[in-house]
């Protein structure tokens, strides 16, 4: 519920919450209980931001619930952002098995 400002003739300004549909109705003064009219003494608080902040917020809001594609997940997941295939340095052991020590240390041979 919004907070509105009211003016009591005896006690001055006070704030009270009212529903939006009852914004024109007077409110009772919390001290004396007299009906007080609504007044506009302060400007409403507005969120002001520069264009770059607004654009960044919009991008983040759009990206928050969209699924990630494989190429967006970073290195090692395939796609354009994946590992380079040019680094296939094969090492052949004395027993004839192959390994790729730089790419997959858990892969012993094939």
């Amino acid at each position: 519920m919004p907070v509105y400002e009211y003016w009591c003739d005896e006690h001055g300004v006070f704030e009270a919450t009212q529903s939006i549909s009852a914004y024109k109705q007077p409110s009772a003064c919390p001290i004396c209980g007299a009906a007080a009219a609504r007044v506009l003494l302060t400007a409403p608080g507005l969120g002001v931001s520069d264009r770059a902040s607004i654009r960044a917020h919009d991008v983040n809001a759009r990206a928050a619930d969209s699924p990630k594609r494989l190429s967006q997940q970073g290195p090692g997941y395939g796609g354009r952002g994946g590992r380079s295939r040019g680094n296939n340095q094969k090492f052949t052991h004395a027993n004839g098995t192959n390994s790729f020590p730089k790419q997959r240390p858990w892969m012993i041979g094939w």
Side-chain angles (χ1 to χ4, degrees):
M1 290 177 80
V3 178
Y4 297 111
E5 296 174 321
Y6 295 92
W7 178 263
C8 175
D9 291 332
E10 291 184 32
H11 301 103
V13 178
F14 67 93
E15 293 180 345
T17 58
Q18 288 270 33
S19 65
I20 294 175
S21 61
Y23 75 97
K24 290 184 181 180
Q25 297 176 359
S27 180
C29 175
I31 299 171
C32 64
R38 181 171 165 244
V39 292
L40 296 172
L41 298 175
T42 59
L46 301 175
V48 180
S49 298
D50 59 321
R51 284 187 175 263
S53 296
I54 293 171
R55 187 173 297 125
H57 178 70
D58 289 343
V59 168
N60 288 339
R62 280 194 307 265
D65 60 346
S66 61
K68 288 186 176 183
R69 296 185 305 223
L70 289 178
S71 63
Q72 292 176 333
Q73 291 182 354
Y77 289 96
R80 294 178 190 250
R83 285 196 175 113
S84 169
R85 297 290 181 197
N87 195 8
N88 290 336
Q89 294 179 347
K90 182 170 77 169
F91 179 75
T92 305
H93 296 277
N95 63 0
T97 59
N98 299 321
S99 66
F100 301 90
K102 288 194 176 182
Q103 282 197 343
R104 298 181 182 129
W106 64 89
M107 185 175 172
I108 296 173
W110 36 276

